[in-house]
Amino acid sequence: MPGDESTAGAHNEVTGSADAIVQAGSIRGGVHLTARGPLVRSAYLEQVARIAPEELRDRGAELAELASWCSGDGEPYRWLRAPAWAGKSALMSWFALHPPEGVRVVSFFVTARLSGQSDKTAFAEVVIEQLAELLREPLPPLLTDATRDAHLLGLLGRAAAACRERGERLVLLVDGLDEDRRPGGHSIAALLPRVPVAGSRVLVSGRPDPPVPADVPARHPLRDPGVVRELSRSTHAAVARADAERELAHLLRGDETGQELLGLVAAAGGGVTAADLAELSGRPVWEVEEQLGAVTGRTFSRRGRVYLMAHEQLQQDAVRMLGGARLAGFRRRLHEWADAHRDRGWPAGTPEYLLVGYFRLLRETGEVARLTRCALDRARHARLADLTGGDSAALTEVAAAQEVLHGQADPDLLAVVRLGIHRDELVNRNVLVPAGLPEAWVRLGQVARAEALAWSLPDPAQRARALLAVSRAVAATGDAARAEAIGRVAHPWERSVRRVSEEPSPGGRRTYSGARRTSRSRVDEVLEALKRGDVELGARLAMTLPRGRRESVVWVALVRALARKGRLSRAEVVARGIKRSVSRAEALTALVVPLADAGDTARAEALATEAERVVRLADVLPEPEVVTGVLVAAASAGDVGTAEALARSLADSRQRDRALAGLVGVVARGGDVGRADAVAATVEDPHLRALAVLAVGRARGDVGRCSDEVRALVGAVRHAYERDEVRAALSAALADGGDFDGAERVARAVGNPEWRGRALVHLAGAVAATGDLDRADAVATGDQALAVVARVVGDPVRARAVPDPRWRVHALAGLVGAVSVDELVAALGEVGYTAQRVQASREVAVAIAARGEVERAERFARSIAVPSWRARALADLVPVVARTGLDRARALAGAIDDPGVRARALASLVPLCAGVEAERLVVAVVAEHEWRAVLPVLPGVRPDIASAVARDLLAVLRERAV
């Protein structure tokens, strides 16, 4: 009320969009009405309007029949079928724009001559956009090949149900099924629901040929002749066809400009703008627009800013009439145009056709080398992500290139491996999504987006944590039912979340940070100041720290502390100054909720969106284990120089030393002991250097000579666990060299029970192999050692005497000729603990197969109840089964459910093959999206590829270190 002091400072604020706003009288404080988020406004109907005729003539009967079908209770599918130029698209587009009362149409017009409008990916994305608009929901973020179809079907079901609740009927309309490019044989038709839900309808059109795609299920309605309605030819369409064909012939016989533009549009397959054609032809844009404007609507059609042939038949006629030589000349100009933009690093302003349509052209024309180069071009994919807002399009390109290469009889194996690596990089970006971002979207009212983002996380434990956080945040809003539903979905992963949270931290007993002590103490000092609330001191101290990966945690903590103090503007400045993209995204995420709480919802949404984009476009550094695997493969292939350079390129000293220590072992075993010794001398960490020195001593065959150096290094190792690891390794090396007294002295001095047990088990086996069973028995104080001795000497009596059932099975499984399968199975039944029993089952399965009873071994392995152990047991059988035939072994490996285990099983067969067969197996492993599994076997198949992969990785690490 005017003059009422109780309302001072009150204001009303509306952000987002809302259907209606009601002023509720005098309210103390501010009123903030926020919509659920950026709702979708699909522009697709504008494209449909460009297809539709200004007036639909002589189709009243067909429209009436369709209206009756929509409102009736009969067959939910209808297929309008007719040859080219019958007027199918005119009827379908008119129906989409003018549906009967009570009908909501969601449409897609398959257009083979327009880039990005002719396959299942385009269909799903366009329909998802329209369904999201109908449901008034934001688009699901981070759509990938793995999630897109599920999102489509889920939205379709919800939209159909929403329409039914409003007394309406949803119709999914798809025109031009015959123009579906079906990349890899995956069709749009196969994605259409077999049983439309909630009374919805599916209306499609197409020519009689080609037939229903092979991937459409046998009982799908599209295979039922009863859903087909033959559409009569439209006389008006026939007249349009005659006019267009006459004009096409006139253009081909006309002036140079008309011929050139026709040739370029036909060669490109459509999708080029006037500016593109001007750049390609060297003519001014106005001249191009004038020329095309004179014939648009008959020969050419315009969709937005791009031009294409007005009909698919015209596209085919133009290609045929131009002839192979002229068409090749126009396509050569397209390639030169693309090459020029590639040479410039795909700068801002790169034509959209080169980022989208050009790749489709390369696939259709079978230019595999160029197609592969595009799919591997990181700079191009970064520009494509700018255009599309994510990596989905890039992943689709990689999948398409993989499909082409994997289908070749003799593919470029290096390209196959490189594509597998690049796909991993793109997928792993989603791992970097800040943990709090899905929850932040809930606080902004965008629950659907929060769920979709959580589901996009590839790691199950990370996904579970995010879903549980979303569930809690939704519960806090009062929506208990939805919170419970989300929590219920997350439940299967709760155990993995607990397991991860209970694993030793980097500062725990088994793994240790390589941070410099001075830097770490300063980091702790900053964090302590921020914890006390002394933001100014924390900020001053933070400025003295290097801007490295370890120190990024300080800047994120500073942003959080500033936000708690309400200093949001300064916090945002600090967040934007963080160099490491993952930490910058985390800092931006930390500001979302405080900004929303402060009433600046628009800014909060902008920062949340930016955080998503930052991690999607981040350069994901390879994991240290991957770097080590690659350098070991390169060294095994003989490229020690690149392997060493790769190890030394790692910025973290601990990771670098671990990689160098791994390299020492490979080089030493390869015979270059001098170089291995030189590399070992450069390892700084005493724990890892001691292991490297031992590897050199083993290779020389004189461990005793280096044992003094190893003992001295042990004294410099800070952590007891690592000291004992080195002692156990030294004991094993001495035992293998025959110095049993020295080995036993070292083993008995090991403090950690785990490492001491391993050392004594190894020693017992080595002593038993010499025939000195009395000493072996004296050393073998544990059940595992007793089992090892029994296996080494091949004594079933000793094996049966092992007290522990688990290790008794281990002993018996190693005595293939002396123990029956029934005895093995009976011994396994005595193992009480489930975890031990399923582990021992793997050994029993291998033992059965080693006896030649392959089918029985397979049946036994498949009977293992725990899926992960069942998969591993089958993988263990693969190399054993290979002795009876590679085809059977490959079939067994291919039947394993777990993709990672399946890939490793296939990789285990590579050394057993040669030439083309070995390379085909490498392709099969990469096809499982597990390219890392081929690293150990690449040096024996294609050492040049192992070296090339190492050089690629070295270039990436050096580029990102700049």
Side-chain angles (χ1 to χ4, degrees):
M1 297 176 62
D4 187 347
E5 291 183 359
S6 67
T7 63
H11 65 283
N12 294 337
E13 179 181 329
V14 179
T15 60
S17 58
D19 293 325
I21 302 170
V22 179
Q23 175 62 50
S26 181
I27 300 176
R28 297 176 184 269
V31 176
H32 306 282
L33 177 61
T34 305
R36 286 189 63 196
L39 301 180
V40 181
R41 291 291 178 265
S42 175
Y44 192 68
L45 278 183
E46 296 178 14
Q47 185 165 313
V48 177
R50 293 179 179 275
I51 301 171
E54 293 184 6
E55 179 185 358
L56 185 67
R57 301 177 184 176
D58 302 333
R59 289 295 192 190
E62 287 84 352
L63 289 172
E65 184 182 350
L66 286 175
S68 175
W69 169 71
C70 286
S71 61
D73 296 324
E75 173 61 51
Y77 262 78
R78 180 62 54 89
W79 183 356
L80 302 182
R81 198 165 65 182
W85 294 102
K88 298 184 295 297
S89 295
L91 174 60
M92 295 285 275
S93 58
W94 185 270
F95 184 81
L97 293 173
H98 307 92
E101 185 176 354
V103 172
R104 295 292 296 270
V105 176
V106 171
S107 64
F108 182 71
F109 288 74
V110 189
T111 310
R113 59 202 182 280
L114 183 62
S115 61
Q117 294 292 316
S118 59
D119 57 31
K120 69 185 289 283
T121 298
F123 163 74
E125 290 180 349
V126 167
V127 173
I128 283 173
E129 181 184 86
Q130 295 174 74
L131 292 171
E133 178 184 19
L134 191 152
L135 291 167
R136 297 183 59 76
E137 292 182 4
L139 282 173
L142 304 174
L143 290 173
T144 67
D145 285 340
T147 63
R148 187 183 295 108
D149 293 358
H151 277 302
L152 169 66
L153 297 175
L155 284 168
L156 191 60
R158 298 213 312 276
C163 285
R164 183 168 62 181
E165 288 176 6
R166 293 196 296 258
E168 298 175 335
R169 173 161 275 169
L170 180 68
V171 174
L172 175 61
L173 181 154
V174 185
D175 176 65
L177 281 182
D178 55 287
E179 295 189 38
D180 183 2
R181 292 299 184 186
R182 305 181 203 171
H186 306 301
S187 69
I188 294 170
L191 194 51
L192 300 177
R194 190 172 67 84
V195 181
V197 298
S200 58
R201 296 283 186 263
V202 180
L203 174 63
V204 302
S205 72
R207 305 181 193 182
D209 292 310
V212 176
D215 63 334
V216 175
R219 295 189 177 183
H220 196 281
L222 288 177
R223 294 196 179 278
D224 178 6
V227 306
V228 176
R229 296 294 183 272
E230 299 293 344
L231 188 65
S232 61
R233 287 180 179 270
S234 166
T235 55
H236 303 286
V239 171
R241 174 181 187 174
D243 290 343
E245 290 178 342
R246 187 164 48 250
E247 191 170 77
L248 175 62
H250 174 73
L251 279 173
L252 287 167
R253 291 192 296 267
D255 61 21
E256 181 183 347
T257 302
Q259 291 187 39
E260 185 176 35
L261 295 179
L262 173 64
L264 288 170
V265 173
V272 285
T273 66
D276 297 341
L277 292 168
E279 189 175 346
L280 281 162
S281 65
R283 303 178 189 279
V285 175
W286 69 263
E287 184 179 348
V288 172
E289 290 178 336
E290 182 179 84
Q291 179 75 31
L292 293 176
V295 291
T296 296
R298 294 186 299 273
T299 303
F300 296 109
S301 175
R302 185 171 176 177
R303 305 276 179 89
R305 296 186 307 114
V306 303
Y307 291 90
L308 62 156
M309 305 303 293
H311 195 281
E312 177 60 18
Q313 190 61 52
L314 282 179
Q315 170 72 21
Q316 297 173 14
D317 290 345
V319 167
R320 175 177 51 80
M321 295 168 74
L322 282 166
R326 292 181 72 187
L327 193 66
F330 287 120
R331 284 190 175 145
R332 189 161 48 248
R333 287 161 67 174
L334 289 170
H335 297 327
E336 291 168 354
W337 184 42
D339 292 343
H341 282 81
R342 178 182 296 108
D343 293 343
R344 292 163 55 199
W346 306 100
T350 294
E352 185 174 336
Y353 175 83
L354 292 179
L355 298 174
V356 181
Y358 182 62
F359 186 87
R360 180 181 64 84
L361 173 69
L362 296 175
R363 182 166 191 183
E364 290 180 1
T365 56
E367 300 193 53
V368 179
R370 284 185 172 275
L371 178 99
T372 304
R373 198 179 309 132
C374 281
L376 285 171
D377 195 321
R378 289 183 175 86
R380 181 174 169 277
H381 281 167
R383 187 61 62 201
L384 182 58
D386 282 341
L387 176 69
T388 62
D391 292 322
S392 178
L395 283 166
T396 299
E397 286 192 354
V398 170
Q402 286 179 316
E403 204 160 2
V404 171
L405 287 174
H406 294 180
Q408 291 182 325
D410 184 21
D412 180 344
L413 197 59
L414 176 57
V416 167
V417 176
R418 280 173 168 163
L419 283 167
I421 294 170
H422 187 43
R423 180 194 176 277
D424 252 17
E425 290 177 357
L426 294 170
V427 169
N428 286 341
R429 286 178 181 172
N430 290 339
V431 177
L432 306 178
V433 171
L437 189 53
E439 184 180 1
W441 279 119
V442 176
R443 294 290 298 273
L444 293 172
Q446 298 194 39
V447 179
R449 184 167 187 167
E451 280 190 80
L453 184 59
W455 275 109
S456 75
L457 302 175
D459 177 67
Q462 186 188 16
R463 182 166 60 241
R465 281 192 294 267
L467 285 168
L468 291 170
V470 168
S471 175
R472 287 192 294 268
V474 171
T477 68
D479 191 346
R482 188 163 191 178
E484 183 181 354
I486 297 170
R488 194 183 310 118
V489 171
H491 177 72
W493 287 280
E494 283 185 299
R495 184 176 299 174
S496 66
V497 173
R498 284 199 302 273
R499 187 175 64 249
V500 170
S501 66
E502 292 166 1
E503 288 178 355
S505 67
R509 184 183 60 152
R510 299 193 59 162
T511 56
Y512 305 94
S513 170
R516 298 179 301 279
R517 287 290 147 190
T518 53
S519 176
R520 174 166 293 283
S521 62
R522 286 153 62 196
V523 166
D524 292 341
E525 193 177 351
V526 177
L527 295 176
E528 185 59 35
L530 295 176
K531 186 177 180 180
R532 294 195 308 267
D534 194 342
V535 176
E536 293 305 323
L537 175 60
R540 286 198 303 274
L541 292 172
M543 294 299 293
T544 68
L545 292 172
R547 294 263 179 159
R549 176 179 297 212
R550 301 186 202 96
E551 290 72 30
S552 294
V553 64
V554 166
W555 298 102
V556 175
L558 178 57
V559 168
R560 294 183 192 277
L562 287 167
R564 285 195 296 270
K565 293 285 188 180
R567 301 166 70 175
L568 298 178
S569 296
R570 184 178 176 189
E572 185 175 344
V573 170
V574 174
R576 294 188 180 284
I578 298 175
K579 183 177 180 181
R580 185 169 177 249
S581 55
V582 179
S583 299
R584 184 165 68 254
E586 186 179 354
L588 292 171
T589 299
L591 293 175
V592 172
V593 172
L595 281 167
D597 289 344
D600 195 349
T601 309
R603 190 79 200 126
E605 289 186 357
L607 290 189
T609 302
E610 184 178 350
E612 274 190 41
R613 185 175 180 276
V614 165
V615 293
R616 279 196 233 114
L617 302 183
D619 285 330
V620 184
L621 288 173
E623 297 171 5
E625 295 79 8
V626 175
V627 176
T628 300
V630 170
L631 71 86
V632 165
S636 301
D639 191 356
V640 179
T642 300
E644 185 174 351
L646 194 52
R648 298 194 186 283
S649 71
L650 293 170
D652 185 279
S653 60
R654 177 74 173 180
Q655 294 171 3
R656 183 169 61 250
D657 282 346
R658 190 173 294 281
L660 287 170
L663 175 62
V664 168
V666 178
V667 175
R669 288 190 295 273
D672 193 349
V673 179
R675 182 161 190 174
D677 197 14
V679 174
T682 67
V683 177
E684 297 175 0
D685 183 272
H687 161 233
L688 295 171
R689 185 172 178 180
L691 295 176
V693 169
L694 268 178
V696 174
R698 278 180 173 275
R700 283 199 177 116
D702 186 8
V703 175
R705 187 171 141 194
C706 70
S707 60
D708 289 341
E709 181 181 358
V710 171
R711 288 187 177 94
L713 286 166
V714 167
V717 176
R718 292 178 56 88
H719 304 289
Y721 185 85
E722 292 179 345
R723 286 196 297 271
D724 286 337
E725 180 188 2
V726 175
R727 290 185 180 117
L730 175 59
S731 174
L734 290 169
D736 290 343
D739 184 359
F740 298 143
D741 292 338
E744 186 169 357
R745 281 195 302 274
V746 174
R748 300 289 183 193
V750 174
N752 181 276
E754 179 185 352
W755 285 121
R756 184 171 61 252
R758 291 188 190 184
L760 290 172
V761 166
H762 188 89
L763 175 59
V767 172
T770 68
D772 189 350
L773 298 185
D774 289 338
R775 181 164 189 175
D777 287 340
V779 172
T781 56
D783 291 318
Q784 183 180 2
L786 291 172
V788 168
V789 170
R791 287 179 66 135
V792 169
V793 300
D795 187 345
V797 175
R798 283 177 170 270
R800 295 182 185 108
V802 175
D804 184 88
R806 164 69 184 93
W807 292 112
R808 190 184 313 134
V809 172
H810 176 71
L812 293 170
L815 308 178
V816 175
V819 177
S820 71
V821 173
D822 290 340
E823 182 178 357
L824 265 178
V825 174
L828 180 64
E830 296 176 16
V831 180
Y833 294 105
T834 302
Q836 291 183 346
R837 188 165 57 251
V838 294
Q839 291 178 44
S841 296
R842 293 173 61 185
E843 296 184 69
V844 173
V846 171
I848 296 172
R851 295 173 60 92
E853 299 183 50
V854 174
E855 291 184 2
R856 185 173 182 179
E858 287 186 31
R859 287 197 305 272
F860 180 84
R862 294 185 195 284
S863 71
I864 297 174
V866 181
S868 59
W869 287 101
R870 179 169 62 245
R872 294 173 193 173
L874 290 169
D876 292 341
L877 290 181
V878 168
V880 183
V881 173
R883 300 172 195 163
T884 65
L886 281 172
D887 289 342
R888 180 169 188 168
R890 181 165 182 173
L892 176 61
I896 296 172
D897 293 333
D898 185 290
V901 179
R902 182 167 62 241
R904 290 190 289 277
L906 289 168
S908 71
L909 295 175
V910 174
L912 306 178
C913 305
V916 174
E917 182 61 26
E919 293 192 7
R920 292 303 306 171
L921 276 171
V922 170
V923 173
V925 174
V926 177
E928 299 290 348
H929 305 316
E930 292 285 346
W931 69 271
R932 301 178 193 184
V934 305
L935 286 175
V937 298
L938 264 183
V941 180
R942 289 286 301 273
D944 58 318
I945 292 180
S947 178
V949 168
R951 290 195 301 272
D952 288 349
L953 183 54
L954 179 60
V956 168
L957 289 174
R958 285 175 171 170
E959 176 187 342
R960 294 176 184 176
V962 175

